[in-house]
Amino acid sequence: MKYDIQDTDIGPILAVADHEGLRYIRFQQGTHPMDIPEVWEKNSRFLAPVFDQIHAYLRGALTCFDLALAPMGSRFQKSVWAALLDVPYGHTASYRDIAVAIGNPKACRAVGGANGNNPIPIIIPCHRIIGADGKLVGYSSGLSIKKKLLALESAYIVYPK
């Protein structure tokens, strides 16, 4: 695994990838920073495309990421994460919307769990998921980061309508 950490407007971000694609994004000042195993190699050049896009997104110059993603998780989790990728920039959806999108409308709580275990936040936009009542609910890295990301996107439109 190769990694890099860069400072951003929302704090230091760790990105981890290998030859298959991006594996992890972590907000190192969030509620769940990641420890870096000694066997990982710091490689800014390898992660440059990831950070170029993250910085462009945080400047408001990028609304859709184009990166190879390789999240590790169960088949159910991967189905939820794939559905999250369909929630457009500047929009929000509820856990129920995602449960319906994956063909399992009663799986709202399980969708919440998968959303909370998303290993690639920002790029897989779990921050766009809100409660059915329109309220902000949990974010694995803390609600303050979620609020900043939603404010950046001005995301107060519920999707789908």
Side-chain angles (χ1 to χ4, degrees), residues 51-101:
F51 280 107
D52 289 347
Q53 290 188 39
I54 289 173
H55 289 297
Y57 165 81
L58 293 173
R59 284 193 317 270
L62 181 76
T63 60
C64 185
F65 292 93
D66 183 20
L67 297 165
L69 305 179
M72 293 183 277
S74 70
R75 195 165 87 187
F76 178 80
Q77 288 173 321
K78 289 179 180 181
S79 73
V80 170
W81 302 334
L84 295 177
L85 290 167
D86 291 333
V87 180
Y89 180 96
H91 292 72
T92 57
S94 70
Y95 295 108
R96 185 175 194 295
D97 294 331
I98 300 302
V100 168

Side-chain angles (χ1 to χ4, degrees), residues 12-145:
I13 292 178
L14 166 71
V16 181
D18 62 16
H19 66 282
E20 290 186 36
L22 186 61
R23 298 284 184 176
Y24 302 102
I25 293 284
R26 285 292 186 278
F27 301 99
Q28 291 301 92
Q29 288 181 337
T31 55
H32 294 98
M34 180 179 267
D35 292 328
I36 301 166
E38 289 183 24
V39 296
W40 288 3
E41 171 192 343
K42 183 167 175 51
N43 190 322
S44 301
R45 188 171 168 202
F46 189 81
L47 277 298
V50 172
F51 280 107
D52 289 347
Q53 290 188 39
I54 289 173
H55 289 297
Y57 165 81
L58 293 173
R59 284 193 317 270
L62 181 76
T63 60
C64 185
F65 292 93
D66 183 20
L67 297 165
L69 305 179
M72 293 183 277
S74 70
R75 195 165 87 187
F76 178 80
Q77 288 173 321
K78 289 179 180 181
S79 73
V80 170
W81 302 334
L84 295 177
L85 290 167
D86 291 333
V87 180
Y89 180 96
H91 292 72
T92 57
S94 70
Y95 295 108
R96 185 175 194 295
D97 294 331
I98 300 302
V100 168
I102 64 169
N104 195 346
K106 294 184 179 182
C108 297
R109 287 186 188 268
V111 165
N115 197 58
N117 286 313
N118 173 13
I120 311 174
I122 298 181
I123 286 72
I124 299 176
C126 54
H127 61 278
R128 295 179 188 154
I129 308 307
I130 60 174
D133 59 1
K135 292 183 180 174
L136 294 185
V137 291
Y139 191 64
S140 65
S141 295
L143 281 179
S144 65
I145 292 175

